[in-house]
């Protein structure tokens, strides 16, 4: 009995009128936890009752404390009939269970009813007395901290980053139980809300237990999702990164550990960026020394469903970390071994983090992803998690093997998602293959030796772009050049990743949001036929999404993508693909070539003219974009760098032609001159459309920038105004004659118009940047497309531009170029096997699997496998090691004066999808906010139609999140995310229903100006994170 | 491709002042979009009409949801659904309760009943204010009236407290409530030259001096109802015109004092008895509700018009009224000095305000 929960009901206000006769309400409150219920007295005839109850005490196990929510129900007393429920409040008491978070929950909570929405507020005080429990076999995991933030939270320091934790629980969905036929919608919705609350509690407790087993004390990058499978059940699953965190004791000294706008250098011994690639002292072929080997071709051809059991058995190197330091081998190999040994112990060396402590990320290999199509009605034992566990294990295994193929031992920026339509479910996982520094992965034993080594290798800091794989044994054809920064290591010409831009990365100009959008029609089908159709389509979608991304990237004149997120959504009669990423120009990577258009029939005069017209337009756009995003890399003469010999990019459309016989295969010699150009072949109207759509993307109006990462590369003089928002659009397609082109156009217009609307609405904030722009697509019905966007607009100071940055970059480049004059240039002939195609597609896999069904259909499964194989050309992006003196490093932060903060309004709660608040310092994390709401209406027209209904509901959700944060004593939610927004309507019946799931971290922040006295004691380079100071008004 | 649903929800509720004004003015979404297009916003921002449409819809929806809260402004401050900075909240409330001069002149002094509400169509046509806007303004008047009637304490304070209006606007509402409660006639043709400001000025003076609140601050409706006892007592003033000696004495006192100072002295001298009779009779009649209602009509008829027809300058009117009130103190036979001051002090202020073209 290790806990006592105490609850006091103070008062209510703004209650609805429940008695028409008197226009008043006789309200009382039921307080329920587990199976115990208390009641307050009835407060007669008031809309603002003052109950001032005694303390209701619940004596409970801490296991229950973690699982159960506190349920508060407000009712109207009725002498003659049943009491009417006014509404409910669910309070997650988890934040009270660990010492550093909140100590009391106290405040006004909106009283929520699934039919009527918010109906007044109730003031509640909740406390928990925990008794220490030393039972080793305990089932609870009180004390493990959870963070949604995908970086080491500010005011903490990562001692060890243990790695991946995951858990999944399943239950019957109350909406599909037999009882649902006879109970009211309200009862059914409430059963669902309660169940999900309970399941998330349980899930969190179980994950906590795993963390304790790993000897961690926190989960960072915690991502919990619901799968509404329908008949087969309701799945709640979560992934996260287990860590051991140390609280930075004095609030003055806390340095934002790693992330986002800041880079903190002092705190961590590896500040000097262990750029292991520049092993000046070591021999030149470090890669050959790695202790494990992989054969790319083999791993590519492997089918995911059958895959890779051997990988998990990879022999552990067993190298003691202590002895490692004494070995004379090249540094890289050493690092690899150490890291590997640290990682090999883990089943999945995955990290949900997207930003890292300095020095943690050594190299980035590229995006790895895997998808698999499953049939939900084939689950043997739907109430048990085993089947789903197996599905995910399989996908993760595949991701792991892809990472290995890229010469990487870890996956960072890892995430998982599903898309469900009827009984078909697409499971997706993606991340960025990477080589990590073992320093954070193990107990501090390696530290000493590594540090020594590092001091020897300090020429330049352009580490993360350098390729981690063996250039002579590349898993896919890539185009390597010497790093434009240090001239010593090889880099690819384009880099795709799912992580945030490392803070020390040298970037030229600004970044921008890049999206690829794609629809594919599909025939309606049942079960296996449907699954087959989907899995046949998937590879083509992946391919086209990547082609689009690549084209758009080139059109922007940029060479790298960060924060890449590809969402494939399945509907009854179509598949949608939406990829979002932030394009940047990395100084370490070569200048991207232009885009060449090639016509099919070169002899036709008018056609020729048309082509050249298009070509001109494209070239103009590129030039314009370069200006717009201030991309003007210093010209470095070709001789110095040595231009790579353009390799023939034949078969650039190979994939398509191979699998669709209708497409002719055109062998193109694409070596146009010296610069490699990306060639678009216009061979049909389809391709024409592609080119058109490329050019229809309108850049944001001047004064606006947008990105989907935490911060905008190239802007760091944020001012304090932030505005988080959610926008939802649903369009109905005219069902007649839908073609892929029409569909694509509709979808493209939908997204573009949505963005235009956002720019218009937020025009008063100019100059500003939309950060963390997160698009979600769903297909609620046959002809409906729903797009949900959540993002934050942050203002910045235009006048404090970053001249210093540019100067630094230029200087560093110059130095690099002179340093490396003597370096030879190798032409790279890296076309590995016949499957080469798109130059830089991330490693990808598609697999189909029908549980418990395989035998009968084995023949066509084989077929699918075959196709999947052809598509899964693993491929790799790489990384740039970055200059030590990065543009963000110093200088420009020095002269930023924090404007004095003006009016602070009591009770304002800021919400942001970012992990930080500009102009402010987070001083305390109060706990995770994870809320699930259902709203239903049977009077849709009266509530303003679908728009009125959803608008009100989302506003209510925001209100409830803010109220909970305020009750915890917080003034902001960071890393806020709307994970689900499932909207269903039935206008004929005047009904609609919506489910929303949101999460984030409740925090206390202090304006930087208030801390000014303290912060002046810090060296300027260290207070980077909160760059521009000032008061935050949201 | 048709848009089924299109919403934007900010953590801080976005309020576009221009759109708010259009909404308050009662324009439909399509009219509002057309007006915005005409304002040149598309050229300034490079937006499309569709964007404008969607934006306008969003704002209208927000305002529609806020309207319920605006009906009880303290709720807007305490509600949790819309996070709005205080300055914006104040702006929302102030603008919502603002009214059009043209409209208020139409309903000032009318009973705020369903009957009047039915006439809003005509008012709308006459004033070319949209019916929607008329309704809003009318409902505001009525709502404020309902809330503050039968309430203790200062009318202005009550209005300010329950509707969080600025001092200026709260005073205007006090006047509207006061007029509606006492049903003063303001619509007659001869009163058309008067502005709402004129009436509001008079209302304020009357509230300060002629209501129950002027003598006792602890009664319900103290600022809304005229002090009945006071009105009864006003009959006593009749002696000033009924008693011939007193009237003559009064006249001679005034004439002596003003001789040489008044440009219109002869006119004044000739008209004194008429004017004095008019002013005193107005007082004596105030026991009847009907005559209370006609107060302003009477004042204009009995005093403003005669003076105006003789082309009295305002300064002369002021001199006259001052002397006229003050001289009564020298009338030894007159015992109701305090009553006279309470009556004439206010009336003098009102008359001076009402005296213009």
């Amino acid at each position: 009995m290790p806990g006592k929960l105490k609850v006091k009901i103070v008062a209510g206000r703004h209650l609805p009128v429940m008695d028409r006769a008197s226009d008043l309400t006789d309200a009382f409150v039921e307080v329920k936890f587990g199976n115990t219920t208390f009641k307050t007295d009835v407060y007669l005839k008031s809309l603002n009752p003052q109950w001032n109850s005694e303390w209701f005490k619940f004596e409970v196990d801490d296991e229950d404390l973690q699982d159960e929510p506190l349920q508060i129900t407000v009712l109207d007393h009725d002498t003659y009939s049943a009491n009417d429920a006014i509404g409910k409040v669910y309070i997650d008491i988890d934040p009270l269970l660990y010492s550093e978070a909140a100590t009391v929950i106290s405040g006004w909570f909106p009283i929520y009813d699934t039919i009527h929405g918010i109906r007044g507020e109730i003031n509640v005080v909740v406390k928990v007395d925990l008794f220490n429990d030393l039972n080793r076999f305990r089932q609870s995991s009180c004390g493990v901290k959870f963070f949604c933030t995908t970086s080491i939270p500010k005011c903490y320091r990562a001692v060890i980053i243990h790695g991946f934790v995951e858990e999944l629980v399943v239950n019957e969905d109350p909406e599909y139980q037999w009882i649902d036929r006879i109970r009211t919608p309200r009862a059914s919705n409430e059963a669902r809300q309660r169940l999900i609350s309970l399941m998330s509690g349980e899930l969190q407790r179980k994950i906590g237990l795993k963390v304790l087993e790993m000897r961690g004390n926190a989960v960072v990058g915690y991502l919990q999702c619901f799968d509404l499978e329908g008949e087969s059940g309701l799945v709640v699953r979560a992934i996260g990164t287990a860590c051991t965190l140390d609280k930075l004791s004095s609030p003055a000294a806390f340095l934002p550990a790693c992330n986002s706008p800041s880079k903190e250098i002092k705190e961590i011994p590896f500040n000097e960026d262990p750029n292991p690639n520049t092993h000046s002292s070591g021999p030149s072929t470090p890669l050959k020394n790695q202790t494990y080997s992989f054969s790319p071709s083999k791993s590519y051809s492997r089918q995911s469903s059958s895959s890779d059991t051997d990988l998990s058995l990879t022999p552990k190197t067993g190298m003691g970390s202590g002895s490692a330091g004494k070995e004379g081998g090249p540094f890289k190999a050493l690092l690899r071994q150490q890291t590997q040994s640290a990682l090999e112990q883990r089943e999945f060396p995955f990290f949900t983090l997207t930003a890292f402590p300095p020095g943690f990320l050594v190299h980035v290999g590229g995006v790895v992803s895997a998808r698999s199509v499953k049939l939900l009605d084939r689950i043997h034992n739907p109430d048990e998690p085993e089947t789903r566990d197996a599905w995910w294990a399989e996908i993760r295994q595949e991701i792991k093997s892809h990472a290995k193929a890229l010469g990487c031992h870890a996956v960072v920026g890892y995430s998982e998602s599903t898309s469900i339509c009827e009984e078909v479910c697409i499971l997706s996982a993606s991340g960025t293959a990477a080589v990590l520094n073992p320093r954070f992965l193990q107990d501090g034993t390696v530290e000493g030796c590594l540090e020594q080594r590092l001091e020897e290798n300090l020429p330049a800091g352009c580490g993360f772009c350098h390729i981690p794989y063996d250039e002579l044994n590349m898993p896919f054809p890539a185009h390597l050049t010497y790093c434009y920064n240090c001239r010593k290591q090889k880099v690819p010409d384009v880099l795709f990743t799912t992580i945030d831009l490392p803070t020390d990365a040298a970037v030229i100009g600004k970044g921008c949001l890049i999206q690829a959008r794609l629809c594919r029609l599909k025939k309606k089908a049942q079960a296996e036929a449907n699954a087959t159709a989907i899995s046949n389509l998937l590879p083509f979608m992946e391919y086209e999404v990547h082609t689009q991304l690549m084209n758009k990237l080139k059109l922007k004149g940029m060479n790298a993508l960060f924060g890449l997120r590809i969402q494939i959504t399945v509907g009854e009669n179509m598949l949608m693909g939406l990829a979002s990423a932030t394009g940047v120009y990395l100084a370490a990577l070569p200048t991207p070539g232009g885009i060449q258009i090639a016509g099919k029939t070169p002899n036709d005069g008018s056609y020729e003219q048309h082509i050249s017209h298009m070509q001109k337009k494209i070239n103009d756009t590129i030039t314009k974009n370069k200006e717009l995003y201030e991309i003007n890399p210093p010209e470095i003469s070709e001789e110095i760098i040595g231009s790579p010999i353009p390799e023939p990019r034949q078969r650039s459309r190979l994939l398509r032609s191979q699998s669709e016989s209708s497409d002719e295969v055109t062998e193109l010699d694409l070596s146009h001159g010296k610069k490699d150009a990306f060639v678009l072949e216009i061979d049909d109207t389809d391709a024409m459309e592609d080119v058109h759509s490329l050019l229809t993307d309108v850049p944001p109006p001047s004064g606006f920038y947008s990105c989907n990462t935490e911060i905008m590369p190239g802007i760091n003089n944020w001012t304090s105004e932030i505005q988080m928002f959610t926008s939802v659009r649903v369009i109905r397609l005219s069902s007649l004659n839908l073609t892929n082109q029409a569909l694509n156009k509709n979808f493209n217009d939908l997204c573009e118009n949505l963005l235009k609307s956002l720019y218009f609405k937020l025009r008063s904030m100019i100059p500003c940047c939309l950060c963390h722009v997160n698009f979600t697509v769903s297909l609620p019905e046959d002809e409906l497309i729903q797009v949900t966007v959540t993002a934050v607009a942050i203002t910045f100071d235009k006048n404090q531009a970053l001249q210093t940055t540019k100067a630094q970059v230029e200087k560093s480049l110059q130095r690099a170029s002179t340093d490396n004059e003597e370096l030879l240039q190798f032409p790279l002939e890296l076309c590995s096997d016949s499957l080469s195609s798109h130059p830089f597609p991330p490693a990808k896999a598609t697999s189909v699997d029908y549980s418990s069904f395989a035998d009968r259909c084995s023949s066509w499964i084989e077929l699918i496998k075959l196709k999947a194989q052809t598509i899964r050309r693993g491929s790799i992006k790489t990384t740039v090691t970055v200059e030590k003196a990065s543009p963000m490093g110093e200088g420009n932060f020095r002269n930023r004066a924090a404007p004095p903060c003006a009016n602070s309004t009591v009770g304002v709660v800021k919400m942001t999808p970012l992990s930080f608040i500009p102009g402010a310092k987070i001083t305390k994390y109060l706990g995770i906010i994870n809320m699930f709401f259902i709203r239903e209406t049977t009077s849709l027209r009266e509530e303003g139609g679908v728009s009125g209904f959803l608008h009100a509901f989302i506003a209510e959700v925001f209100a409830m999140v803010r109220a909970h944060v305020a009750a915890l004593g917080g003034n902001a939610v960071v890393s806020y995310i709307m994970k689900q927004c499932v909207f269903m309507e039935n206008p004929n019946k005047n009904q609609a229903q919506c489910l929303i799931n949101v999460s984030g971290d409740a925090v206390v922040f202090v304006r930087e100006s208030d801390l000014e006295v303290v912060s002046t004691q810090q060296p300027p380079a260290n207070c980077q994170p909160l760059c521009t100071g000032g008061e935050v008004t949201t | 491709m048709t848009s089924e649903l299109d919403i934007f929800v900010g953590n801080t509720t976005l309020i576009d002042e221009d759109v708010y004004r259009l909404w308050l003015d009662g324009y439909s979404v399509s009219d509002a979009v057309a007006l915005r297009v005409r304002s040149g916003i598309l050229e300034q921002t490079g937006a499309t009409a569709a964007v404008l449409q969607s934006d306008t819809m969003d704002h209208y929806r927000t305002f529609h949801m806020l309207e319920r809260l605006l009906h009880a402004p303290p709720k807007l401050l305490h509600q949790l659904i819309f996070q709005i900075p205080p300055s914006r909240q104040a702006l929302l409330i102030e603008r919502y309760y603002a009214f059009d001069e043209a409209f208020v002149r139409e309903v000032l002094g009318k009973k705020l009943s369903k009957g009047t509400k039915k006439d809003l169509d005509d008012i709308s046509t006459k004033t070319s204010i949209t019916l929607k806007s008329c309704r809003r303004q009318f409902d505001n008047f009525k709502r404020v009236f309902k809330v503050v009637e039968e309430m203790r304490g200062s009318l202005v304070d009550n209005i300010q407290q329950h509707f969080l209006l600025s001092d200026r606007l709260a005073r205007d509402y006090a006047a509207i409530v006061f007029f509606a409660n006492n049903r003063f006639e303001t619509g007659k043709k001869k009163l058309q030259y008067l502005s709402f400001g004129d009436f509001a000025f008079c209302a304020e003076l009357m509230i300060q001096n002629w209501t129950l609140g002027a003598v006792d601050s602890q009664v319900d409706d103290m600022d809304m109802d005229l002090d009945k006892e006071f009105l009864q007592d006003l009959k006593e003033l009749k002696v000033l015109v009924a008693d011939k000696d007193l009237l003559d004495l009064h006249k001679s006192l005034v004439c002596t004092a003003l001789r040489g100072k008044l440009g219109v002295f002869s006119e004044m001298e000739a008209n004194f008895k008429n004017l004095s009779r008019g002013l005193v009779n107005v007082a004596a009649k105030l026991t009847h509700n009907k005559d209370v209602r006609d107060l302003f009509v009477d004042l204009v008829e009995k005093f403003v018009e005669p003076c105006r027809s003789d082309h009295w300058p305002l300064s002369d009117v002021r001199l006259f009224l001052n002397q006229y009130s003050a001289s009564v103190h020298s009338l030894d036979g007159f015992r109701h000095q305090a009553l006279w001051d309470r009556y004439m002090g206010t009336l003098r202020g009102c008359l001076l305000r009402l005296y213009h073209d």
Side-chain angles (χ1 to χ4, degrees), chain A residues 436-733:
Chain A
L436 303 179
N437 185 323
R439 138 92 169 89
F440 292 94
L441 303 171
Q442 293 168 324
D443 289 295
T445 43
V446 274
E447 243 173 82
C449 68
L450 274 175
E451 234 164 337
Q452 282 172 1
R453 297 233 142 232
L454 281 169
E455 274 152 30
E456 298 163 22
N457 319 295
L458 281 180
C462 49
F464 80 94
C465 301
H466 298 172
I467 53 165
Y469 37 86
D470 183 350
E471 65 183 76
L472 300 176
N473 193 12
M474 291 213 310
F476 62 93
H479 194 175
L480 302 183
T481 49
Y482 278 101
C483 171
Y484 276 49
N485 217 4
C486 71
R487 309 285 168 211
K488 289 180 179 155
Q489 295 290 309
K490 297 280 177 67
V491 295
D493 59 355
V494 179
L495 181 62
F496 285 12
T497 74
T498 58
I499 57 171
D500 277 331
L501 182 71
T503 45
D504 50 0
V507 172
I508 294 175
K510 296 194 167 67
C512 74
L513 179 72
I514 291 179
Q515 285 194 321
R517 304 154 187 146
L518 186 69
C519 302
R520 277 298 181 106
L521 285 170
K522 152 186 105 59
K523 285 213 172 62
K524 278 194 192 181
Q526 292 301 308
E528 309 87 62
N530 194 16
T532 319
I534 292 167
S535 30
N536 282 344
L537 275 174
L538 278 180
F540 301 111
M541 297 205 50
E542 300 262 14
Y543 173 74
E544 284 200 23
V545 162
H546 278 86
T547 312
Q548 256 191 54
L549 281 177
M550 188 63 85
N551 286 342
K552 289 188 177 178
L553 186 67
K554 298 222 173 221
L555 205 60
K556 295 278 194 290
M558 298 176 184
N559 59 18
L561 285 182
F562 288 87
L564 177 63
R565 185 166 162 267
I566 302 175
Q567 194 196 358
I568 304 267
T569 310
V570 56
E572 289 269 281
N573 56 352
M574 62 179 102
L575 283 176
M576 313 279 284
L578 180 65
S580 305
T582 302
V584 294
Y585 187 104
L586 285 177
L589 265 50
T591 313
I595 297 177
Q596 294 279 323
I597 295 187
K600 182 174 60 170
T601 47
N603 296 327
D604 183 342
S606 67
Y607 192 73
E608 197 87 306
Q609 203 177 0
H610 180 70
I611 294 284
S612 69
H613 177 66
M614 297 282 277
Q615 181 67 60
K616 187 173 177 305
K617 253 169 102 176
I618 286 179
N619 293 345
D620 289 351
T621 313
I622 294 178
T623 319
K624 231 167 52 198
N625 279 329
K626 281 189 173 169
E627 239 165 76
L628 184 64
Y629 300 106
E630 297 160 28
I631 300 169
N632 33 16
E635 285 294 327
I636 301 165
S637 67
E638 297 286 340
E639 294 80 55
I640 294 173
I641 302 174
S643 71
I645 291 177
E647 36 173 322
R649 284 282 167 64
Q650 67 265 70
R651 293 175 294 248
S652 69
R653 297 181 73 93
L654 172 98
L655 179 85
R656 244 171 128 184
S657 41
Q658 205 179 27
S659 36
E660 283 174 35
S661 49
S662 58
D663 258 309
E664 73 254 62
V665 185
T666 323
E667 295 263 334
L668 287 169
D669 179 9
L670 304 183
S671 31
H672 291 268
K674 270 186 164 182
K675 286 270 174 191
D676 59 323
F678 196 70
V679 175
L680 278 183
E681 177 203 354
I682 304 185
D683 54 354
D684 52 12
T685 45
D686 221 24
M688 210 59 172
E689 286 294 325
D690 290 348
V691 177
H692 274 298
S693 70
L694 268 184
L695 294 167
T696 50
D697 277 11
V698 190
S702 82
F704 265 110
Y705 292 92
S706 55
C707 63
N708 77 332
T709 46
E710 282 253 311
I711 43 154
M712 177 67 169
I715 299 179
N716 48 12
N717 42 346
W718 303 110
T719 48
S720 53
E721 199 186 337
I722 64 171
Q723 166 71 291
M724 188 283 295
F725 59 85
T726 292
S727 186
V728 184
R729 277 198 187 182
V730 177
I731 56 160
R732 184 174 291 280
L733 303 160

Side-chain angles (χ1 to χ4, degrees), chain A residues 66-67 139 141 146 166-169 200-211 385:
Chain A
Q66 286 195 294
D67 286 8
Q139 287 301 297
S141 54
F146 284 80
E166 48 79 31
E167 188 59 80
L168 178 152
V169 293
S200 348
E202 182 191 341
L203 192 73
Q204 219 170 308
R205 174 173 58 82
K206 286 184 168 169
I207 290 226
L209 281 172
K210 290 191 174 177
V211 173

Side-chain angles (χ1 to χ4, degrees), chain B residues 30-47:
Chain B
S30 51
D31 290 348
V33 170
L35 284 166
R36 292 182 82 187
V37 169
R38 228 172 293 161
S39 77
I41 195 165
L42 295 186
E43 291 75 28
Q44 284 164 33
T45 58

Side-chain angles (χ1 to χ4, degrees), chain A residues 724 730 732 761 962 1034, chain B residues 2 4 7 9 11-12 55:
Chain A
M724 188 283 295
V730 177
R732 184 174 291 280
K761 278 191 174 295
R962 289 192 302 254
T1034 307
Chain B
T2 51
E4 285 272 305
I7 57 160
V9 191
N11 184 36
T12 302
D55 180 66

Side-chain angles (χ1 to χ4, degrees), chain A residues 2-48:
Chain A
K4 191 187 270 180
L5 171 68
K6 300 190 294 180
V7 183
K8 183 178 176 131
I9 306 297
V10 183
R13 67 182 182 197
H14 305 150
L15 295 190
V17 170
M18 298 299 282
D19 178 6
R20 288 276 162 77
S22 66
D23 265 4
L24 290 167
T25 296
D26 303 325
F28 71 101
V29 182
E30 276 183 12
V31 184
K32 189 176 178 203
F33 190 82
N35 295 317
T36 318
T37 307
F38 292 103
K39 282 183 191 175
T40 66
D41 297 334
V42 177
Y43 194 94
L44 290 170
K45 302 201 180 311
S46 173
L47 299 182
N48 301 292

Side-chain angles (χ1 to χ4, degrees), chain A residues 125-275:
Chain A
V125 185
V126 186
K127 287 181 178 175
V128 172
D129 291 335
L130 266 188
F131 312 126
N132 263 342
D133 183 13
L134 300 175
N135 179 4
R136 283 188 53 221
F137 305 103
R138 61 182 184 172
Q139 287 301 297
S140 81
S141 54
C142 289
V144 174
K145 292 181 278 289
F146 284 80
F147 301 92
C148 294
T149 301
T150 57
S151 56
I152 302 304
K154 322 274 188 283
C155 73
Y156 286 95
R157 190 178 72 92
V159 181
I160 308 169
I161 297 174
H162 299 279
F164 191 60
V165 279
E166 48 79 31
E167 188 59 80
L168 178 152
V169 293
V170 185
N171 210 309
E172 208 177 343
D173 190 338
E175 196 148 288
Y176 293 85
Q177 284 165 341
W178 67 269
I179 196 170
D180 207 62
R181 288 165 204 209
I182 53 168
R183 68 181 161 191
T184 63
R186 176 184 279 133
S188 151
N189 290 337
E190 277 171 10
R192 238 173 158 186
Q193 284 194 172
R194 202 164 43 237
L195 176 69
I196 289 192
S197 193
L198 207 67
M199 286 168 79
S200 348
E202 182 191 341
L203 192 73
Q204 219 170 308
R205 174 173 58 82
K206 286 184 168 169
I207 290 226
L209 281 172
K210 290 191 174 177
V211 173
L212 290 176
E213 265 171 39
M214 297 165 96
R215 305 221 183 143
N217 65 3
V219 182
V220 179
Y222 184 67
L223 177 70
Q224 184 190 289
C225 291
F226 302 96
D227 295 330
L228 301 169
E229 291 184 349
E231 294 282 352
S232 64
L234 198 162
V235 175
V236 185
R237 58 189 164 80
I239 55 175
T241 305
C243 296
T244 302
L245 299 182
D246 239 4
K247 181 133 174 102
L248 297 175
S249 48
S250 105
F254 87 74
L255 302 164
C258 61
N259 175 36
S260 61
S262 70
K263 174 190 169 193
E264 169 271 312
I265 296 176
K266 269 269 154 79
E267 190 75 3
I268 293 162
F270 270 88
N271 51 24
E272 297 296 62
D273 197 349
N275 171 26

